[in-house]
Structure formats: C-alpha cells, structure tokens
Amino acid sequence: MNQKFYYHMLRDDHLRSQVWNWWARLQGQDKTDGATASLRGVRAELRRCHTPDDVLLTEGFRSLWMAVNKEGARPSADMTAWATVAAVLADVRVNAEKPFAAALGSENEKTGKPHVSELRFSQLQKSSDSAEFLRRARRSVALLGRSASVLSLADSVLHWHKEKQGYYPVKPNHRLAVRWATDYFTELSRYQRTP
C-alpha cells in the first residue's frame, strides 16, 4: 500500500533531500563522495550517545546540521531537535514506506499484536524531555526491526520538539498527538477486532 504522507516540519523538498542524503551516506548507500569507509565509525559514534547533548559533539551531527543549515538561518534552539534526529536515524537500517506512527501500530506477525504497545506508544508521546524521547524513539525503532520511514521519523522528531517548545499548530488535527493517534489506531483497526 502506498500511503501519501504530509510533512509538517520537512515541507521543503530540498530539506527532505538533505536529510535523506545524509542518512544514505550514513548507511553507505551514497558512494558519490568516496567517503563511505569512515561513515561506519560515524554511525557507531551516534549510536553510543545517550542524550541529545552527547550527539551535539559528534561528527555525524555536525555533518547533518551543516547540510540542513547551509544558510545559517536555523535558530540554535533547533540544534537539540536535529541532534535527536541524527541519533534516531543512526539506528534505522532500512527505509520503510509506512509513516512512523502507522508502523508502530502495524501488526507484528509473530505475536499478532502491534509492534509497539499502546502503553509504549503513549509513553513515547508524553516523554518529558529530549533525552527520554530519544531513548523511547530508539526503543521503538528497535521494536520495528530497525526498519522505519526515514523522512516520516525525522519529521515526527522535529514536530515533537517544536510542540515541546510550545509551538502548536492552530488546527488540532495538525498536532502531533492527533496525527500519530490517527495513524497508529487506523493501522491497529486493520487487524484487531473488538470483542
């Protein structure tokens, strides 16, 4: 099924392209610059970071930040959000088609239950700070078998941080909690039956 995805934070094609190319280089999929040999170490460094503050000091974050902030127009307050994007995307091995929240609610064929339980899904949304969100997002990606939609995940991470800073969309259906709940429970309803 090909799902159309609306990006709330990565609306610009060029910005999405920068994120995608950064992730592809990190995975060794983009060999145009001949620098893929050293990227395994960059990915490992990102994966060892426990908090977004740790990520800020890495080469992987710097290369992503420089790619998305070429004009220098992004406020430094966005650095934590982009650090979280870098750390979470370092854990993704395979790009998936489904939006991130829909994948969380999709059926695990081994258990017949969602990949991420409703409780974990709720805890992810209600994370109290960036470090907790990073830990829970990484756990969710692991439960998806390290397969997630790279751009949907990056958009969701940025959206979570923006709302945590107090910037909520005017339309309630554009808020992250509503978007995620819609995707998650729509996916859940495809295979779960009510008693």
Side-chain angles (χ1 to χ4, degrees), residues 142-164:
L143 290 169
L144 292 172
R146 305 203 182 285
S147 173
S149 169
V150 168
L151 295 177
S152 171
L153 178 55
D155 189 72
S156 292
V157 169
L158 294 171
H159 196 165
W160 185 89
H161 279 84
K162 192 56 95 179
E163 289 191 358
K164 206 65 175 171

Side-chain angles (χ1 to χ4, degrees), residues 100-120:
F100 177 62
L104 299 179
S106 66
E107 183 177 17
N108 181 331
E109 292 180 11
K110 292 179 184 172
T111 64
K113 296 180 178 177
H115 281 93
V116 173
S117 70
E118 290 181 42
L119 177 61
R120 281 188 193 275

Side-chain angles (χ1 to χ4, degrees), residues 80-174:
T80 302
W82 283 100
T84 307
V85 168
V88 174
L89 292 186
D91 281 4
V92 176
R93 292 287 172 92
V94 177
N95 181 54
E97 195 170 302
K98 283 186 184 177
F100 177 62
L104 299 179
S106 66
E107 183 177 17
N108 181 331
E109 292 180 11
K110 292 179 184 172
T111 64
K113 296 180 178 177
H115 281 93
V116 173
S117 70
E118 290 181 42
L119 177 61
R120 281 188 193 275
F121 177 67
S122 174
Q123 290 171 336
L124 173 63
Q125 289 186 59
K126 295 177 182 174
S127 299
S128 61
D129 57 30
S130 296
E132 182 181 340
F133 182 81
L134 172 58
R135 185 173 45 81
R136 293 186 184 282
R138 281 178 155 165
R139 179 70 181 142
S140 296
V141 169
L143 290 169
L144 292 172
R146 305 203 182 285
S147 173
S149 169
V150 168
L151 295 177
S152 171
L153 178 55
D155 189 72
S156 292
V157 169
L158 294 171
H159 196 165
W160 185 89
H161 279 84
K162 192 56 95 179
E163 289 191 358
K164 206 65 175 171
Q165 293 172 352
Y167 299 103
Y168 291 94
V170 175
K171 295 180 179 178
N173 61 332
H174 288 183

Side-chain angles (χ1 to χ4, degrees), residues 5-17 19 68 74-75 78 81-82 85 151-165 167-169 174-176 179-180:
F5 186 76
Y6 177 77
Y7 297 96
H8 288 262
M9 304 305 296
L10 296 176
R11 292 185 198 138
D12 182 89
D13 290 340
H14 180 70
L15 185 58
R16 286 196 303 274
S17 172
V19 172
V68 300
R74 294 199 182 284
D78 288 353
W82 283 100
V85 168
L151 295 177
S152 171
L153 178 55
D155 189 72
S156 292
V157 169
L158 294 171
H159 196 165
W160 185 89
H161 279 84
K162 192 56 95 179
E163 289 191 358
K164 206 65 175 171
Q165 293 172 352
Y167 299 103
Y168 291 94
H174 288 183
R175 293 186 181 161
L176 186 63
R179 287 180 45 219
W180 272 11

